[in-house]
Amino acid sequence: MADTAKTPSTPAPTPKRASLRERTRAAMRAEVSDVAFRLFAEQGFESTTVEQIAAAAGLSRTTFFRYFGTKEEVVLGRVGEFGRQVADALAARPAEESPWYALRRAFDVITEAGPDRPGSPADMMRLLSQACVLMTRHWEKTQGWHSMIAPEVARRLGGTGPVTDMRANALTAAAISCLDAATDAWIATGGTTSLPDLADQAMGCLHEAGDTPG
């Protein structure tokens, strides 16, 4: 994964501001999500019902389903949010950083988040390890991160042609796989090993094997 000479990159597009209705809906989803994760932490995912989440959030069961289709979607929606946070963090990294190093540092929003807050990346990983159905759908959801991250990697590579896109897709897929490997190892150790260190080790393996810059 050696770096090549980069042509000047184009500025990242300015994000479109969400409407008031969209912001209100997002705020309500976040509030319900926080309540749900608190209950998951106290009772376990399987033992927590939609009715309990709705009641704790001051909603009816019907209103809950206006924001989330299923209980699983509460967790998976947070996974999607983390993907957007990684994409935003990547776009904010210094332009002179190699794509691989910038990806590693963008993952800090996940690997260095507080482990004890309900709904944090660490808390979410514990939930995923407890529920097989979540593990399967988590894999599907994290593949959605690819479409958020790859365009910024392509921009950093300095082109928009098929060869650049192929490299961007390969780098993005490899980085996400490394993060998955690190989180799997973190869960296997019961959270006793540093997740940032595991991410460094996982991404460092490809650095050494492929002479990846950064």
Side-chain angles (χ1 to χ4, degrees):
M1 297 181 186
D3 226 7
T4 59
K6 302 181 180 70
T7 58
S9 58
T10 57
T14 302
K16 181 180 178 182
R17 182 174 175 78
S19 67
L20 176 60
R21 182 178 180 180
E22 290 170 334
R23 296 198 302 274
T24 301
R25 177 178 175 80
M28 179 56 73
R29 279 177 59 93
E31 182 178 338
V32 175
S33 179
D34 287 343
V35 169
F37 274 101
R38 176 174 57 79
L39 291 176
F40 294 154
E42 294 172 356
Q43 305 175 172
F45 178 80
E46 299 293 350
S47 298
T48 301
T49 67
V50 167
E51 288 77 11
Q52 289 173 329
I53 297 170
L59 305 173
S60 68
R61 187 174 186 274
T62 300
T63 303
F64 172 89
F65 287 119
R66 292 178 186 171
Y67 298 101
F68 297 98
T70 64
K71 180 177 66 173
E72 289 77 12
E73 190 181 319
V74 176
V75 179
L76 297 170
R78 188 64 61 91
V79 174
E81 291 172 14
F82 292 147
R84 285 186 288 275
Q85 290 172 17
V86 170
D88 290 345
L90 178 61
R93 297 300 305 174
E96 65 271 15
E97 290 181 352
S98 72
W100 190 251
Y101 182 78
L103 280 164
R104 171 61 194 93
R105 295 276 63 90
F107 287 151
D108 285 345
V109 299
I110 291 177
T111 62
E112 297 187 358
D116 298 323
R117 179 175 58 84
S120 69
D123 185 51
M124 181 191 68
M125 291 170 203
R126 293 188 185 96
L127 286 174
L128 293 170
S129 69
Q130 295 169 6
C132 292
V133 64
L134 284 178
M135 284 296 291
T136 300
R137 294 194 60 196
H138 168 253
W139 184 88
E140 297 171 352
K141 195 74 174 182
T142 53
Q143 300 315 296
W145 292 12
H146 191 112
S147 62
M148 303 179 196
I149 296 171
E152 172 60 20
V153 176
R155 188 181 72 84
R156 285 173 173 272
L157 290 170
T160 57
V163 173
T164 301
D165 290 343
M166 181 181 68
R167 293 183 62 212
N169 286 332
L171 283 169
T172 301
I176 292 174
S177 293
C178 285
L179 180 62
D180 285 343
T183 56
D184 286 346
W186 183 83
I187 291 170
T189 64
T192 59
T193 306
S194 165
L195 182 55
D197 288 349
L198 291 171
D200 286 341
Q201 293 173 32
M203 294 187 75
C205 289
L206 294 189
H207 184 137
E208 296 169 0
D211 192 27
T212 306

